[in-house]
């Protein structure tokens, strides 16, 4: 991380503290496409701040990403909920993509929970089901790291946090998430390639944020909500609005899972 990126994240965290009146946060939850209804289950809602009001944040550019940061109280813990994220395909570069995570960590968060909407490459990972991310394949062609910064990613997604999630829902399955640059959905040939590489899920986010969080020593939990079957595995064409609708229908139930996780991190 460059000095400039670190300083911008610190300024954003300082302003966030000023807006919310909270000195430090235990954890941060990044809510992906359609996940916003699940945020309501996380705890007692405090102040909500537009991301665009903080240094370094871009205004929301994608339907399903409200572009706000919410302060939430869960038991004796203060949490941050990022309602939306910047995607690499928006053209602002990796630093903008991971700025929310860096800001949350600068505000004290030692645990980062990344959620997303994903396509399923495994017929047993059904539409509407949450899936724990066990690992990822970064095919975006980008990294949030600068220079000779050799971050260990041998356990990008915390095994202990995945165990906490399974205590809340013993039926949770795990999978490998393939991160693509987008914004186009994948072709059937690309899906066949991803399956051959060992991917179970595919989407356009999360991987760079996970790398940035691990760079700063935060523990990471990733959860995909399966919102569609990947191209070539179904006769149904892919549509972003249907992805959002499916996410909204399932995210309220997934909110219970997030609340159980929030109580233990």
């Amino acid at each position: 991380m460059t000095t400039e990126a670190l300083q911008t994240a610190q300024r954003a965290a300082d302003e966030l503290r000023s807006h919310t009146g909270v000195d430090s946060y235990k954890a941060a939850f990044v809510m992906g496409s359609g996940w916003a209804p699940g945020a309501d289950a996380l705890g007692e809602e405090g102040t909500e701040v537009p991301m665009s009001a903080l240094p370094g944040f871009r205004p929301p550019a994608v339907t399903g990403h409200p572009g706000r940061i919410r302060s939430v109280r869960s038991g004796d813990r203060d949490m941050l909920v990022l309602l939306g994220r910047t995607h690499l395909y928006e053209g602002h570069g990796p630093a903008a993509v991971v700025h929310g995570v860096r800001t949350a960590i600068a505000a004290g968060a030692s645990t980062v929970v990344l959620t997303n909407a994903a396509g399923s490459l495994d017929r047993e990972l059904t539409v509407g089901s949450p899936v724990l991310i066990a690992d990822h394949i970064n095919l975006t062609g980008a990294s949030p790291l600068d220079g000779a910064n050799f971050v260990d990613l041998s356990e990008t997604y915390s095994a202990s946090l995945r165990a906490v999630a399974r205590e809340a829902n013993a039926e949770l399955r795990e999978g490998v998430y393939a991160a693509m640059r987008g914004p186009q959905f994948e072709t059937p040939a690309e899906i066949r390639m991803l399956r051959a590489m060992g991917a179970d899920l595919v989407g356009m986010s999360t991987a760079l944020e996970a790398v940035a969080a691990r760079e700063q020593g935060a523990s990471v939990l990733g959860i995909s909500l399966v919102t569609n079957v990947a191209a070539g595995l179904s006769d149904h064409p892919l549509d972003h609005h249907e992805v959002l609708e499916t996410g909204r229908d399932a995210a309220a139930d997934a909110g219970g899972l997030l609340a159980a996780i929030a109580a233990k991190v």
Side-chain angles (χ1 to χ4, degrees), residues 181-199:
R181 190 180 188 97
Q184 72 281 349
F185 289 113
E186 300 71 35
T187 68
E190 288 170 336
I191 293 301
R192 291 194 296 273
M193 174 193 73
L194 294 175
R195 293 180 71 185
M197 294 173 71

Side-chain angles (χ1 to χ4, degrees), residues 217-240:
S219 298
V220 178
L221 177 66
I223 309 175
S224 290
L225 186 62
V226 177
T227 52
N228 61 278
V229 176
L233 303 181
S234 168
D235 295 331
H236 190 63
L238 300 178
D239 180 89
H240 182 62

Side-chain angles (χ1 to χ4, degrees), residues 119-123 125 178 190-191 194-195 199-202 230 233:
S120 171
L121 284 67
D122 182 341
R123 296 184 187 278
L125 301 180
E190 288 170 336
I191 293 301
L194 294 175
R195 293 180 71 185
D200 305 292
L201 304 154
V202 62
L233 303 181

